[in-house]
Amino acid sequence: ARLPGGRQQMAMVPLRQRSGSSEAARKKVAVTAQLTGHQIQEESLAAFSAAPFEPEDGCVVATGDAVVLCGANAVCRLMSLASETLAAEEPGVDDWIEWSETTLAPAVASLASAFEGGVVREVPQRRPILELDEGGVLLGAMAGGSSKAVPEAAVAASDALRPLIELVEVAVGRGALGRETLTLADVVVAVDASAALGAWASGTFPRVEALVARLPEGVSVAPAAPLTRDPDESTGSFVKRLFAAAIARAYPRLEWTDPAVMRCANDKFGDYQCNAPMSIFKDLKTNSSEPAASPRAVGEAIVAALPENDVIEATSVAPAGFVNTTIRSDLLSRQIRAIAAAGAAPPPSPSVFGGKRKVLVDFSSPNIAKEMHVGHLRSTIIGDTISRVFEFCMHEVLRVNHVGDWGTQFGMLITHMETAYPDFTENPPNITDLTTFYKNAKKRFDDDDAFKVKSRQTVVDLQAGDPRCRQVWALLCDISRREFDKVYARLDVHVDEYGESFYNEMIPPVIAKLEALGLIAHDDGAAVIHLPKHSYPLIVRKSDGGFGYDSTDMAAVHYRLLDLKCDWVVYVTDVGQQEHFHMVFEAAEAARWTRPGVKLRHVGFGVVQGIDGKRFKTRSGETVRLVDLLDEAVTRMEASLRERIADGKCSLTEDQVRHASEVIGYGAVKYADLHQHPATNYKFSYDKMLSTSGNTAVYLLFAHARLASIVRKAYEEKSVDVVQIAKTASNLCLTEHPKERQLCFELSQFSEAVVAVALEFLPSRLCDYLYRLSTKFTEFVTECKVLGDPRQNERLVLCEATGIVMRTCFDLLGLKYLMRI
């Protein structure tokens, strides 16, 4: 193999390994680097993910040519061969290196382990039988004798150790060891032997001691290289990376993967807090021979090990060890000015997700021939927001509407259509009340035996492809879609229909694959899949040969994973279907349809309740039509706006009132749902969601309109172009006042909030962020005069950046906004 020639920069990292190994490995590499003219730079564990394996001595080195080597001896060979020094190419030298690695080093480690890292002052006397060839190359060694002077474990360890050291003592000055010019064998053997010399009194092995004394101290391992923030990396993500690197450097023997970095709960302590020191202190106390003095000492060690960077301005360590960190104010100013200048809030880097992903979101999913009701609101807007967030993060998103357009109910619906509207082909009925149509068909099915028999035969005909049945079925689907579209238009939601019927022909071959894998059992004629920890199976084929929801969902997940090759598949349904989807996911994994990196997630949502805590219904006990619910919010908002106009609190014209009512009314309903955790039930209240105070869309939209009016007045009355200021005034300090800085920092958290939504599938995270941001802005404009103040330009840039981020949040939540109210 060709080796990189010449001297070059290398980097090394210690991994967790057996006791005593890392120190020797570092010494070998450091001494060899000095003798061969190489430079060594220590890096964090994360920098060496390309290592093919973890060596026993814990040493991994990457060269400037991206060659990754594992094991100190291999690294030393590379440096020696590349620089043509230390005679590493000689067979005799290589024999001693191999012997030291396979025989001497393990024996030294055994002795150290027997004494739990303590210093050995007395060990049993041993006389080895030595055999060396004329070149001084080891042929064999044997120990004998016994002693009770030390613990039994040390006796066993020294059975191998002392004769090996004596072998080195005899060999120095012969062949490859102890030449006038150092060889690589001298370095490796001397370092491994030096770890054992403390077991005996000075002078016991004078030649070995002289060999060790010949070694230079070795180059010092340079401090960790400065860390730089990637252009599209969030500040929070970079701070986590900084503390991860510091922990790895301060405590190289720990495999500590979570730096536990989060925002400070109180602004007065700083911006971010590293909470790992307390946990590290407890780990060291339990598992290390060198525990830390206190959690605070751990925090101080981590701070001392922080790589040089241009992000952190100050740190402080609390008595409990927590490390509080303040971000540089000039960095915050630059970030916020860039948002105002660009006119857009940047999306998170795809690297946060391991690259761009193909994401399928299954949401909304109403049933054909039924009205969309309040229960469909949650699935529709939660799924839409999740889709919007992934699209913003530059992933490929498939929005799928898994409508209920197939099944036994269509037998009665088609039969009812044919009998109630016999000329439907020439005169298609104008069915706008789908609920009544469905109820009438269901009543006839329950009351009329002849109708019931006819309906069941119609199901068979439909599934067999009967043209007339398919014609009626298509008409019912078309009528339903027109009604669904009215709701989607009000909610500003786009979704592509792939109903149950789309997967119908896929079901038999999918079942055949599952049978071939041995996953299907037969129970009373039904084909089922039994899964651990579930009390009932998936029924992929009924005893009568028919297919149900389990069949369709197994075919759908097969198609989505293997045909569409989706990376993430997200299902948004009510929480009652959670176990069903988990069973589908587990069955897909058992069938090996998934691959590394694939995510299958169910986002379950709770029930929309009335003020009485029961399911939200009309006064007559009927399910609330979603379109009626949305329109009622608009009606109430319009009345409220007209009152504000009459009181002189609103500047809208008559022509603008209706549009503003729709924007605020629809937005209020959506936000009232989205800001809840999806899994919780919540009480539907027009009074609460239309309130101008508290965490409501109305408050947020009014706050945004106030912000927009400040920027607009600056342009119209003072001829101040905020965007131009942001683009040209590169030295703006936007953090002079405490409220300015708090707003700046909150704006810098936008990317973190978006990532949280994408990784946790929780739109409420973005709502929480938007409300916090609006609150910070309100505090800012309350304490900091904008127009006419000496810091007018700086504060206008803050207003502009806040408006941009707020509008981006509105877009991601599917809310429209107003520039004036």
Side-chain angles (χ1 to χ4, degrees):
R2 291 180 58 84
L3 294 171
R7 298 171 177 82
Q8 55 187 304
Q9 181 91 3
M10 294 186 171
M12 68 178 292
V13 59
L15 304 177
R16 181 184 289 275
Q17 68 289 311
R18 62 190 184 190
S19 175
S21 297
S22 179
E23 291 77 7
R26 285 167 175 261
K27 180 73 172 178
K28 290 176 189 176
V29 173
V31 169
T32 305
Q34 177 161 330
L35 294 172
T36 59
H38 287 82
Q39 293 181 331
I40 298 295
Q41 176 78 41
E42 185 167 325
E43 298 288 354
S44 67
L45 294 173
F48 291 90
S49 58
F53 64 91
E54 180 178 326
E56 291 228 358
D57 68 3
C59 180
V60 178
V61 168
T63 73
D65 292 336
V67 176
V68 179
L69 293 141
C70 296
N73 289 354
V75 173
C76 293
R77 281 190 180 99
L78 175 66
M79 288 191 281
S80 177
L81 292 168
S83 60
E84 299 180 353
T85 59
L86 300 182
E89 73 282 358
E90 292 186 15
V93 171
D94 196 61
D95 286 343
W96 275 108
I97 295 171
E98 184 175 356
W99 173 80
S100 190
E101 179 175 11
T102 59
T103 305
L104 178 58
V108 172
S110 295
L111 183 66
S113 177
F115 281 84
E116 298 182 350
V119 177
V120 182
R121 291 304 176 194
E122 181 180 6
V123 296
Q125 297 299 308
R126 294 286 184 266
R127 302 306 303 174
I129 299 173
L130 308 176
E131 291 186 45
L132 299 170
D133 66 10
E134 293 181 357
V137 177
L138 171 70
L139 295 178
M142 184 180 295
S146 64
S147 171
K148 296 182 180 179
V150 292
E152 186 176 344
V155 172
S158 64
D159 281 342
L161 179 58
R162 183 173 181 119
L164 300 179
I165 299 299
E166 291 185 351
L167 173 60
V168 177
E169 177 78 6
V170 172
V172 172
R174 297 176 58 189
L177 289 181
R179 296 179 186 175
E180 183 176 345
T181 303
L182 285 171
T183 69
L184 188 58
D186 293 323
V187 174
V188 172
V189 173
V191 170
D192 286 334
S194 66
L197 289 179
W200 294 278
S202 178
T204 304
F205 300 107
R207 291 183 179 179
V208 178
E209 293 169 13
L211 183 66
V212 172
R214 292 181 67 194
L215 299 182
E217 288 298 318
V219 296
S220 60
V221 177
L227 283 184
T228 56
R229 190 171 67 92
D230 297 332
D232 53 0
E233 183 178 17
S234 70
T235 303
S237 175
F238 180 68
V239 170
K240 291 177 183 177
R241 214 157 46 89
L242 280 172
F243 276 98
I247 292 171
R249 182 165 177 79
Y251 299 98
R253 292 183 179 277
L254 293 179
E255 291 181 346
W256 208 267
T257 58
D258 182 13
V261 172
M262 59 189 66
R263 285 185 59 168
C264 287
N266 192 322
D267 294 337
K268 71 179 182 180
F269 295 125
D271 299 321
Y272 290 101
Q273 185 178 80
C274 173
N275 295 322
M278 178 62 78
S279 299
I280 292 175
F281 169 75
K282 292 178 179 178
D283 186 278
L284 293 171
K285 184 177 181 180
T286 304
N287 302 317
S288 175
S289 60
E290 299 179 359
S294 65
R296 183 167 192 163
V298 174
E300 290 170 347
I302 292 173
V303 169
L306 277 170
E308 181 183 342
N309 65 89
D310 59 358
V311 171
I312 294 179
E313 186 170 79
T315 58
S316 63
V317 183
F322 309 124
V323 181
N324 295 313
T325 302
T326 302
I327 302 303
R328 288 179 54 167
S329 295
D330 60 328
L331 171 64
L332 291 175
S333 292
R334 289 197 305 271
Q335 289 177 334
I336 306 316
R337 184 179 63 81
I339 292 174
S349 168
S351 63
V352 175
F353 310 96
K356 292 186 178 181
R357 302 293 183 182
K358 189 173 187 179
V359 184
L360 185 147
V361 186
D362 179 328
F363 67 101
S364 193
S365 307
N367 291 311
I368 294 297
K370 288 186 178 180
E371 297 277 3
M372 289 182 72
H373 54 77
V374 66
H376 292 108
L377 172 68
R378 305 207 73 181
S379 177
T380 302
I381 61 177
I382 292 171
D384 177 59
T385 297
I386 291 173
S387 298
R388 287 171 181 262
V389 167
F390 277 116
E391 288 163 348
F392 179 72
C393 294
M394 299 179 289
H395 299 294
E396 179 184 355
V397 179
L398 305 178
R399 296 160 162 260
V400 172
N401 196 0
H402 189 87
V403 299
D405 66 351
W406 203 251
T408 56
Q409 74 273 20
F410 280 93
M412 70 177 188
L413 295 172
I414 292 171
T415 303
H416 181 59
M417 174 71 81
E418 289 180 318
T419 54
Y421 304 96
D423 61 342
F424 70 90
T425 54
E426 292 78 22
N427 298 299
N430 181 21
I431 302 175
T432 56
D433 190 345
L434 289 169
T435 300
T436 300
F437 179 85
Y438 189 93
K439 285 183 176 180
N440 291 339
K442 184 67 169 64
K443 187 175 189 308
R444 292 184 66 187
F445 185 85
D446 292 338
D447 298 344
D448 188 336
D449 289 339
F451 182 87
K452 183 180 297 184
V453 171
K454 172 64 174 172
S455 297
R456 287 173 174 167
Q457 180 57 47
T458 300
V459 173
V460 176
D461 295 341
L462 174 65
Q463 294 179 344
D466 178 78
R468 184 172 176 81
C469 289
R470 287 296 180 100
Q471 184 181 19
V472 180
W473 171 78
L475 177 62
L476 287 170
C477 290
D478 187 57
I479 293 170
S480 300
R481 286 189 198 101
R482 289 199 296 268
E483 295 303 307
F484 298 160
D485 287 344
K486 294 177 183 178
V487 174
Y488 295 140
R490 286 168 169 78
L491 294 175
D492 190 25
V493 169
H494 165 73
V495 62
D496 297 317
E497 182 181 316
Y498 289 89
E500 294 173 349
S501 61
F502 177 78
Y503 306 100
N504 197 47
E505 294 182 359
M506 303 179 192
I507 295 175
V510 167
I511 294 176
K513 289 183 179 181
L514 293 169
E515 286 181 319
L517 292 168
L519 295 176
I520 287 183
H522 295 277
D523 187 354
D524 291 334
V528 302
I529 301 176
H530 291 285
L531 296 161
K533 302 179 182 179
H534 296 282
S535 59
Y536 56 90
L538 285 172
I539 303 174
V540 294
R541 186 174 56 238
K542 299 177 183 178
S543 56
D544 62 2
F547 305 125
Y549 291 123
D550 294 355
S551 318
T552 303
D553 286 332
M554 286 303 298
V557 76
H558 177 274
Y559 173 74
R560 292 166 179 181
L561 292 176
L562 300 185
D563 293 292
L564 295 179
K565 300 189 183 322
C566 294
D567 297 304
W568 296 354
V569 183
V570 185
Y571 294 78
V572 186
T573 74
D574 67 274
V575 74
Q577 299 185 56
Q578 178 173 291
E579 185 172 10
H580 164 73
F581 281 107
H582 285 178
M583 292 173 72
V584 170
F585 302 160
E586 290 167 24
E589 290 169 358
R592 298 182 181 178
W593 295 344
T594 58
R595 59 187 185 279
V598 163
K599 286 186 181 181
L600 297 171
R601 291 289 185 273
H602 176 254
V603 179
F605 54 81
V607 176
V608 180
Q609 302 172 325
I611 299 300
D612 58 2
K614 299 178 180 179
R615 283 185 179 270
F616 190 54
K617 294 182 179 293
T618 63
R619 290 182 179 178
S620 61
E622 299 291 330
T623 300
V624 179
R625 296 171 70 231
L626 186 48
V627 69
D628 293 339
L629 178 146
L630 294 170
D631 290 347
E632 176 65 15
V634 174
T635 299
R636 294 188 182 211
M637 195 64 233
E638 183 173 351
S640 175
L641 287 177
R642 293 191 183 282
E643 287 181 12
R644 294 179 68 86
I645 292 172
D647 294 340
K649 298 179 181 179
C650 180
S651 61
L652 293 173
T653 65
E654 181 65 29
D655 294 339
Q656 296 170 329
V657 170
R658 182 63 187 179
H659 172 67
S661 301
E662 290 178 349
V663 169
I664 302 173
Y666 295 147
V669 173
K670 295 175 76 171
Y671 186 84
D673 191 303
L674 290 171
H675 93 275
Q676 312 282 340
H677 189 287
T680 61
N681 301 335
Y682 76 93
K683 295 180 180 180
F684 189 95
S685 168
Y686 284 115
D687 291 339
K688 286 186 178 180
M689 67 179 59
L690 295 175
S691 173
T692 56
S693 61
N695 191 4
T696 68
V698 182
Y699 164 75
L700 297 172
L701 291 168
F702 271 76
H704 173 263
R706 180 184 183 186
L707 175 157
S709 70
I710 294 173
V711 176
R712 185 172 57 252
K713 286 181 180 178
Y715 183 76
E716 294 176 351
E717 299 176 8
K718 298 181 178 294
S719 301
V720 177
D721 187 335
V722 182
V723 176
Q724 191 62 27
I725 292 173
K727 288 181 177 179
T728 57
S730 59
N731 60 343
L732 288 177
C733 175
L734 306 181
T735 59
E736 188 173 294
H737 190 281
K739 292 302 179 183
E740 293 176 348
R741 195 188 187 286
Q742 289 174 17
L743 180 57
C744 264
F745 182 70
E746 199 63 55
L747 286 167
S748 76
Q749 299 299 291
F750 168 72
S751 180
E752 302 288 322
V754 173
V755 169
V757 176
L759 294 181
E760 301 174 37
F761 307 101
L762 292 177
S764 57
R765 294 280 187 259
L766 190 60
C767 295
D768 293 341
Y769 170 75
L770 179 56
Y771 181 61
R772 263 196 327 270
L773 178 62
S774 299
T775 302
K776 295 293 183 185
F777 173 75
T778 300
E779 294 173 356
F780 159 68
V781 293
T782 300
E783 294 195 24
C784 300
K785 181 183 177 182
V786 179
L787 299 180
D789 188 87
R791 290 184 52 76
Q792 172 181 280
N793 286 356
E794 287 84 352
R795 291 173 178 175
L796 281 172
V797 170
L798 270 173
C799 289
E800 177 67 10
T802 303
I804 290 167
V805 173
M806 287 186 71
R807 290 190 286 275
T808 306
C809 290
F810 289 142
D811 288 339
L812 294 177
L813 293 169
L815 307 182
K816 295 182 178 178
Y817 51 83
L818 300 167
M819 300 304 287
R820 66 173 76 213
I821 299 177

